[in-house]
Amino acid sequence: MKKILGSAIGVIVALGALSTAGAWYTGQQLPEVLGTSIKKANEDMAKTLPAVGFSATVELLSLQQQLFSSDARYRIKLVGSLDGEAPANFEWTVTDHIEHGPFPLSRLKALKLLPVMATSNYALERSPELEKWFAASQDGAPLQGQVSLGYDSSMQGDMRLQPLQMDLDEQTRIDFSGLNIDFDTTADAEQIAASGVMDSFKVSAKLASDESMRLEFKGMNLSSNTRKGVSDFYLGQNEVRLQQIELQIGENAPILFKDFVQRDETSEANQQLSARYSYDVGMISYQGTDIGSSQMLWTVKNLDAAALQSMVELYGTLLKDGKVDSESGMPELTDAQTAQFKTDLEKLLAGKPGLALEKLAFKTANGESSFSFGLDLNKPVSFDLPAPELAKQLIAQLDAKLRVSKAMITDVIGVQATLAGETDNEAIAQQAAMVGEMASGMAVASELAVLQGEDISSSLHYANDQVTFNGKQMTVEQFVALAMSSGGGLAGMAPEAPAEEMLLEESEAESPIQ
């Protein structure tokens, strides 16, 4: 028994000695580690923030060291504007209680037993400029968190935005439940994984029309898993999920967007970037009636990474210098910047980039309509060509497809009538079916669409100065002539078309959905 007790005491003493030695080592290394981290952060922000019109710096104000912990203060300066107006200046101070490794007390309390170099407990410091924010957060630090630094320079931690209720001005109020974000990064942020949770964020405002407006986001979850590619762009996946988005104007019933999901994915191959962006709404609902779901998917491909990086940096510089018009968004370029932009654009086009709206769809109970569009580009021989010849050389190919489901038209008209108070389901169904048939008849008569089964469809393909429209080959001039003549004919049919006899008059007059 004495041997066991002696061994246990020996282990405790050894761990205590190891902890003390580790704490002393951390204390000796801390100034250099902080200096390196701050320098790297400033370099990274100098590369990325100008692209969105901002610049930021971090400065170490003070560092007080003890054996097992240290206390630091940082100053963060932020200058910039998102709308191109006069830049705003922000200056925040952050306090940081740093627990020395290898076994910081806060980690031991949380049963995190892996050794780390240090654990940072940071919080925004109160100041006169932030008094309103602190007061709205029940007088606690509105921004705070914890970060543990590993001996391999990896970081693991969290950031917490506290709940707040704040009047931005006399017309606008914010109610925020708070946001928690957990993150894990490798050395130099080469790989970043993050996840976050928010219960609700609500904005209430009075509009210029003197009506009230309420926009509320509920049940948000976000996740991110990215790594830095060869081009210095971050590659990987990001996702944001919202259980519900609620929009209400005046005394009208709110419109609900349920199960919203936004995803993006970026990849890299042969110094070229590709990306996918998708937006899904599980159901759109009004007055308790489900209307339909929607989906949108964008893709870009073959973006020369070096050229894109140069263009982003140039635009960031222009934003920072106030050389971007706030209304038009057009930059003011010097001759040297114009030459640089032209060189980057030529390099970008030489990679044959492509942009596509792969799917824009709306689905109801009985039908789905969709639209897609794709554009592939080429590098022209010269940008000084006449506009028609320049367009011909720029566009490698163009594809567009439209498909409208007659069943979806019937569903939408039926929902509109129901929301307007119509109760005769048989009459609603008959009138809705008539509108669907009328729409398909007008589209086919105009020669702008064809009927495929129960769908009204139209397709366009362009390449090598030739157009294939709804399966028929023609020149660009012939297609333009067809579109103009068909459009004019369609417009001329409008006064004579018995649409007003087919649509439900009360539905058209009273329905909030137009």
Side-chain angles (χ1 to χ4, degrees), residues 89-157:
N89 294 278
F90 300 94
E91 187 172 304
W92 294 348
T93 302
V94 174
T95 60
D96 189 4
H97 179 67
I98 304 170
E99 303 172 83
H100 299 176
F103 303 109
L105 183 58
S106 62
R107 286 179 59 86
L108 293 177
K109 288 180 178 179
L111 298 179
K112 298 177 180 179
L113 305 180
L114 290 176
V116 295
M117 185 175 184
T119 292
S120 161
N121 301 276
Y122 65 90
L124 193 62
E125 185 175 276
R126 196 168 196 138
S127 68
E129 295 79 12
L130 297 174
E131 188 62 39
K132 189 174 182 180
W133 192 7
F134 270 77
S137 299
Q138 288 76 53
D139 292 329
L143 172 62
Q144 54 188 273
Q146 185 181 80
V147 181
S148 291
L149 175 65
Y151 287 100
D152 60 352
S153 296
S154 64
M155 290 190 294
Q156 184 182 53

Side-chain angles (χ1 to χ4, degrees), residues 102-424:
F103 303 109
L105 183 58
S106 62
R107 286 179 59 86
L108 293 177
K109 288 180 178 179
L111 298 179
K112 298 177 180 179
L113 305 180
L114 290 176
V116 295
M117 185 175 184
T119 292
S120 161
N121 301 276
Y122 65 90
L124 193 62
E125 185 175 276
R126 196 168 196 138
S127 68
E129 295 79 12
L130 297 174
E131 188 62 39
K132 189 174 182 180
W133 192 7
F134 270 77
S137 299
Q138 288 76 53
D139 292 329
L143 172 62
Q144 54 188 273
Q146 185 181 80
V147 181
S148 291
L149 175 65
Y151 287 100
D152 60 352
S153 296
S154 64
M155 290 190 294
Q156 184 182 53
D158 62 65
M159 181 186 73
R160 301 188 299 277
L161 286 172
Q162 300 297 92
L164 63 84
Q165 294 80 43
M166 177 187 292
D167 292 323
L168 296 181
D169 50 43
E170 294 182 356
Q171 286 79 35
T172 311
R173 178 177 175 81
I174 289 178
D175 292 278
F176 176 48
S177 67
L179 170 66
N180 294 333
I181 297 178
D182 297 316
F183 58 86
D184 195 342
T185 78
T186 60
D188 296 326
E190 290 293 327
Q191 296 183 38
I192 302 175
S195 61
V197 177
M198 180 192 75
D199 288 336
S200 65
F201 180 84
K202 180 169 68 175
V203 179
S204 305
K206 182 172 289 188
L207 304 176
S209 61
D210 211 30
E211 286 188 306
S212 61
M213 184 276 290
R214 178 173 60 86
L215 177 63
E216 185 170 7
F217 303 89
K218 297 180 180 179
M220 185 188 81
N221 286 271
L222 62 87
S223 62
S224 176
N225 194 341
T226 60
R227 60 178 178 82
K228 192 176 290 187
V230 176
S231 61
D232 242 15
F233 284 98
Y234 276 97
L235 315 174
Q237 304 83 35
N238 299 287
E239 180 179 278
V240 177
R241 289 180 173 268
L242 283 161
Q243 292 179 358
Q244 185 170 289
I245 303 173
E246 188 172 333
L247 175 63
Q248 183 176 21
I249 305 293
E251 299 301 320
N252 295 321
I255 301 174
L256 305 180
F257 302 88
K258 304 175 183 177
D259 299 325
F260 171 86
V261 182
Q262 186 270 321
R263 299 185 184 92
D264 66 73
E265 180 177 356
T266 306
S267 58
E268 182 180 35
N270 301 320
Q271 290 77 52
Q272 289 188 323
L273 298 171
S274 298
R276 294 168 57 88
Y277 306 90
S278 66
Y279 307 83
D280 297 282
V281 179
M283 182 57 67
I284 302 171
S285 183
Y286 184 77
Q287 291 186 359
T289 300
D290 288 343
I291 300 171
S293 60
S294 67
Q295 181 182 18
M296 182 166 63
L297 173 62
W298 287 92
T299 61
V300 292
K301 64 180 182 180
N302 301 339
L303 297 179
D304 185 277
L308 183 62
Q309 184 74 275
S310 179
M311 295 172 79
V312 168
E313 290 176 359
L314 173 60
Y315 189 72
T317 300
L318 294 170
L319 277 174
K320 181 181 176 181
D321 296 341
K323 298 298 184 180
V324 178
D325 187 88
S326 59
E327 294 184 2
S328 66
M330 295 300 294
E332 302 173 16
L333 300 173
T334 64
D335 291 342
Q337 289 171 334
T338 300
Q340 177 189 339
F341 177 78
K342 184 177 179 181
T343 299
D344 292 337
L345 182 59
E346 289 177 344
K347 188 174 181 181
L348 191 71
L349 291 172
K352 300 184 183 301
L355 170 69
L357 172 58
E358 291 198 1
K359 188 175 185 181
L360 176 61
F362 184 74
K363 184 177 182 180
T364 59
N366 298 298
E368 177 178 348
S369 297
S370 63
F371 172 72
S372 64
F373 174 85
L375 177 65
D376 291 344
L377 299 175
N378 261 332
K379 176 187 172 183
V381 174
S382 170
F383 286 104
D384 298 325
L385 296 170
E389 183 62 26
L390 178 61
K392 185 188 301 185
Q393 292 194 20
L394 269 174
I395 301 174
Q397 69 172 8
L398 181 151
D399 284 285
K401 294 181 181 179
L402 173 67
R403 180 174 62 85
V404 179
S405 164
K406 290 197 293 182
M408 190 213 71
I409 296 176
T410 300
D411 285 343
V412 171
I413 297 297
V415 168
Q416 187 179 28
T418 300
L419 292 174
E422 294 291 332
T423 57
D424 189 336

Side-chain angles (χ1 to χ4, degrees), residues 45-83:
M45 289 188 295
K47 290 181 180 179
T48 58
L49 290 183
V52 292
F54 282 93
S55 64
T57 57
V58 180
E59 176 187 357
L60 178 64
L61 295 178
S62 64
L63 178 62
Q64 297 178 345
Q65 294 180 268
Q66 297 89 39
L67 177 57
F68 290 102
S69 66
S70 297
D71 292 292
R73 294 177 70 241
Y74 315 97
R75 178 163 54 208
I76 301 173
K77 292 183 178 180
L78 185 67
V79 180
S81 173
L82 286 173
D83 56 11

